[in-house]
Amino acid sequence: MVGGFLLYFSVLPHPLATPDSPHSPGLISKYNSSGDPGSGQDWTVYVGGGTQDMSVMTMGFFPEIITIDAGDSITFINNSSEVHTVTFLSGNPPINPFSPLADVKIGGNVYNGTTVVSSGMLLPGQSYTLTFTNPGVYIYQCIYHAGMVGIVVVNPAGTPYPMTQAQYNQVAYQEVTQSLSNGESIFQQVNIPATPGPNGTTVWHVNAGLTTPAVASVQLTPASGSDVTGTAQLAIVSPGEMSVEVDLSGLTPGKTYQVQIFTGASEAGGRLTYTLNPVVGGSNGTGTSITTVKVEPLDPYIPGSYGIPAASWYVNVSSGDTAVSLGDVIAPAASAMRFLPSTLTIHVGDTVTWTVNAPDEVHTVTFVPQGMEIPEFGTPVSLIPAGGPVFNGSGYYNSGPLLPGQSYSLTFTVPGVYTYVCLLHDNMGMYGTIVVLPNGPVNSQQLAQLSTMLNQLSGLSGRVYNNSAQISQVDARLSSVYGTLSQMNATMNGLQNSTASQGTLMQVVNARVSGLQSTLIVLVILVIISLLLNVVLITRRR
């Protein structure tokens, strides 16, 4: 989902148009023609995008709205690390994103506005070209990601184009930049409080992926020669409820204006979708209305997918049958393809609950033991929940696919450092770490176990990344940790050889251990995280 722009053209017949669809005639002059009209022009739309480290993925088509002529073609290029589809349903029933039909190409490479055509699964870097033969306003989507929607407006052959490809590229760049900026802000906003558990334990909460808030700001532009301008603010305030605030100026005092949301494009009309509270012009020519409306999930196969579509809505303000102000709804958003927080330190007996809070994503929480390859998502072992609710430190644990709004919980009973992945997005670096500490002070046996673990990981890193500069940094951290461990072991040996009483000995040891425990934990976590992120997952990859 992305930030947007507005295009205004003359009215065209199209599948969404209805007799009462308000339009904005005469606004073709909003843009100067940026190219000679013709037939057979080729255009490019970019599907998705993301940050270089793949931590943030946009869920939109760039540009979200593109206007072409009949006979022209659009090449859709998957520009992200996610898989996507380009699917025109033409009013037909939606396709289940979990069915094999979602993955296969449907129809050919020519679209007449009435049939179902789909690219099928587009892997990163792949493209799909479609030629449009009939004028109309056509909504398309990614089957896999609820709310990832774009619009193609097709004018009759010979109509001047509103923009060149270079100008559309600039719009796309601005949309991607806004979307990624919103996505990166997620990492500064994660603050999930822990809750009390049974018997003095704690329940910790982790976001399994996260999407920017479902909000959109619409600039309303005058139509039909009016002076009415304003904004509309849309926001999903709770599952199934959307709040819309409309603020207008340039109104006639005392006059009532109707406000509606249509599905379509403001330049060509559409079908009525939501009726909002009217706005009455005040004495100063301004007015406001606030409406809460019930909304359906973006995908009927994903009940928790409440959000605002990236495109395909527009807000229309009218006086009688005449539109006086309107604007397309473009919802800028992105998904953080990470577990947040990515590293969590808990104690034995505590529980961790992962929740998918992204309406357009599906994730898994999967602990893969050493020696086992990460399962390919879609295989039976990846889809079936495994391991039960109590994690004992070994074995294969899997949540199975978690849909938006669903959760998965594990109670940890054995101290250790455990990594887990999302089976759909492990190649994008979506993995996390749970550090489980024992209750009470750390004793010499537990320190020895930590030391053994570090030695094993260090040996593995040496075999895989002998020439890696990153491992050199890790080795430096390891040396620091080993130094701390050696000091602690020497202190403990000295205390054990002294003639002090056993009670005094234990008091001194515990005091020494407690004093260094915080430092050791921080160092251990840093080292293990670095190793796990750079070694363990890579060696498991196929």
Side-chain angles (χ1 to χ4, degrees), residues 81-95:
S81 300
E82 274 273 36
V83 294
H84 294 290
T85 76
V86 176
T87 305
F88 291 78
L89 293 174
S90 307
N92 291 281
I95 297 174

Side-chain angles (χ1 to χ4, degrees), residues 201-206 344 346-354 365-368 385-399 407-413 418-420 434 436:
T201 62
T202 300
V203 178
W204 303 87
H205 300 276
V206 175
L344 183 65
I346 65 175
H347 286 83
V348 168
D350 288 351
T351 298
V352 179
T353 296
W354 292 265
V365 176
T366 309
F367 291 79
V368 182
V390 178
F391 186 84
N392 62 12
S394 62
Y396 177 69
Y397 287 76
N398 183 32
S399 65
S407 297
Y408 172 66
S409 296
L410 280 179
T411 298
F412 292 78
T413 60
Y418 308 108
T419 61
Y420 61 96
I434 303 295
V436 184

Side-chain angles (χ1 to χ4, degrees), residues 480-497:
S480 176
V481 174
Y482 289 148
T484 302
L485 288 171
S486 298
Q487 293 175 7
M488 294 182 69
N489 287 332
T491 301
M492 294 175 71
N493 289 335
L495 289 170
Q496 290 171 350
N497 293 331

